[in-house]
């Protein structure tokens, strides 16, 4: 999936080192106090469950898709420009899929069409090299602050789940990135037989974490799969890159409330 837009850098006036250190220390202490209070029941989180989309939200590609396709493709005669590769990728990725699930099992049938449409290359060895590249954690990264924010939320008692339209590579990717153990549920479309925006996949996640839809929030980057699907299930949804742009923002919005549900 194409990477999310990069966060804008914020400029701040220079301050003395001692003042900066003190401010950072106070800020860190404040966050720990909020989490500790929530965990102790003195400050209830705004939501008791957080559902997260994977590709494009929790998982970001380490380098642009078109760059990867072109770089690997040089050895196989791929000559399309990165711009045209990306156009082909988006066209194939968004095209209607004739079967119930785009991602069945390892997802190879779907991704073979995407890679061929993007690059005009149908070489089986080329496809397999691209496919295997994205099967390893090195091809992906977590958004800045995601690991720390998820740990704070978990320590505060918030149940965490991944709800993703993905193939069977996802669980290994989450392990490679050292976040798998933080989730109370990992619900993958290729395993459960439902894809977002189907309410069924959201309900499976809610059942696994034991949280009602009215007390959970979903975060994802797609208006149809994530926003419409979550809303149809009774879940509120924040669009990644629009409603929230960092994981620290997600953490703050969930934890900084004194209005228990």
């Amino acid at each position: 999936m194409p990477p999310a837009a990069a966060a804008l850098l914020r400029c701040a006036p220079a301050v003395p080192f001692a003042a900066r250190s003190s401010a950072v220390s106070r800020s860190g202490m404040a966050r720990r106090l909020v989490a500790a209070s929530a965990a102790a029941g003195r400050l209830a989180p705004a939501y008791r469950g957080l559902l997260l989309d994977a590709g494009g939200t929790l998982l970001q590609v380490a380098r642009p898709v078109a760059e990867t396709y072109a770089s690997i493709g040089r050895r196989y005669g791929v000559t399309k420009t990165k711009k045209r590769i990306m156009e082909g990728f988006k066209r194939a990725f968004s095209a209607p899929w004739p079967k119930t699930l785009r991602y069945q099992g390892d997802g190879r049938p779907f991704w073979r069409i995407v890679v061929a449409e993007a690059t005009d290359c149908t070489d089986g060895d080329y496809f397999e090299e691209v496919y295997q590249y994205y099967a390893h954690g090195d091809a992906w990264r977590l958004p800045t602050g995601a690991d720390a924010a998820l740990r704070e939320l978990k320590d505060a008692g918030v149940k965490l789940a991944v709800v993703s339209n993905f193939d069977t590579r996802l669980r290994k990717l989450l392990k490679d990135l050292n976040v798998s153990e933080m989730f109370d549920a990992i619900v993958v479309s290729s395993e459960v037989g439902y894809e977002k925006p189907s309410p069924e996949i959201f309900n499976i996640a809610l059942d696994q974490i034991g949280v009602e839809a009215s007390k959970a929030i979903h975060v994802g980057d797609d208006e149809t799969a994530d926003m419409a699907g979550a809303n149809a299930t009774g879940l509120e949804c924040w669009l990644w890159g629009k409603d929230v742009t960092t994981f620290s923002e997600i953490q703050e919005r969930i934890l900084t409330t004194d209005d228990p549900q």
Side-chain angles (χ1 to χ4, degrees):
M1 186 177 292
L8 296 175
L9 294 176
R10 294 181 175 85
C11 296
V15 296
F17 177 78
R20 277 204 312 274
S21 299
S22 177
V24 169
S25 176
R26 288 196 300 271
S27 175
M29 181 179 294
R31 286 195 299 272
R32 288 193 295 273
L33 287 173
V34 167
S37 296
R42 293 190 294 273
L43 185 64
Y47 302 93
R48 304 192 187 283
L50 169 63
L51 278 56
L52 285 170
D53 169 49
T57 303
L58 177 63
L59 299 185
Q60 306 287 330
V61 290
R63 62 174 179 167
V65 170
E67 181 180 318
T68 298
Y69 280 25
S71 175
I72 297 175
R74 291 191 191 103
R75 297 192 298 276
Y76 298 90
V78 173
T79 59
K80 288 180 73 172
T81 64
K82 295 176 187 177
K83 180 176 183 294
R84 290 186 59 217
I85 288 175
M86 201 66 229
E87 290 171 349
F89 177 91
K90 290 179 179 179
R91 184 170 56 249
F93 192 86
S94 61
W97 186 244
K99 299 182 181 180
T100 304
L101 299 177
R102 285 188 302 174
Y103 307 112
Q104 298 191 37
D106 60 19
R108 275 185 170 86
F110 172 74
W111 286 113
R112 187 172 283 109
I113 291 174
V114 172
V115 172
E117 177 69 18
T119 62
D120 291 338
C121 181
T122 57
D123 186 299
D125 291 337
Y126 169 59
F127 165 74
E128 194 60 28
E129 188 169 343
V130 170
Y131 181 88
Q132 291 299 333
Y133 171 82
Y134 286 107
H136 299 282
D138 290 346
W140 304 84
R141 66 175 179 82
L142 300 176
T144 301
D147 182 271
L150 290 173
R151 292 187 188 282
E152 292 280 6
L153 289 167
K154 192 170 184 66
D155 288 345
V158 177
K159 297 294 185 180
L160 305 176
V162 170
V163 183
S164 178
N165 291 350
F166 218 104
D167 56 61
T168 51
R169 292 174 292 180
L170 180 58
R171 290 183 183 275
K172 177 183 181 300
L173 294 176
L174 295 175
K175 287 181 180 179
D176 288 350
L177 294 168
N178 300 312
V179 292
S180 179
E181 79 286 352
M182 283 194 283
F183 290 98
D184 301 286
I186 298 173
V187 183
V188 189
S189 63
S190 61
E191 297 176 354
V192 300
Y194 297 102
E195 286 186 352
K196 297 179 295 183
S198 171
E200 283 84 355
I201 191 170
F202 292 101
N203 284 325
I204 290 170
L206 291 169
D207 287 345
Q208 289 189 12
I209 64 174
V211 176
E212 297 175 10
S214 62
K215 296 181 179 179
I217 183 76
H218 176 66
V219 180
D221 67 329
D222 189 279
E223 290 191 6
T224 300
D226 293 302
M227 177 70 81
N231 291 167
T233 315
L235 279 160
E236 187 179 349
C237 178
W238 296 333
L239 278 178
W240 176 257
K242 182 178 180 181
D243 299 320
V244 288
T245 58
T246 65
F247 268 76
S248 60
E249 184 179 358
I250 293 172
Q251 174 194 335
E252 289 168 5
R253 291 181 66 173
I254 290 177
L255 293 185
T256 54
T257 179
D258 54 6
D259 183 20
Q261 296 190 21

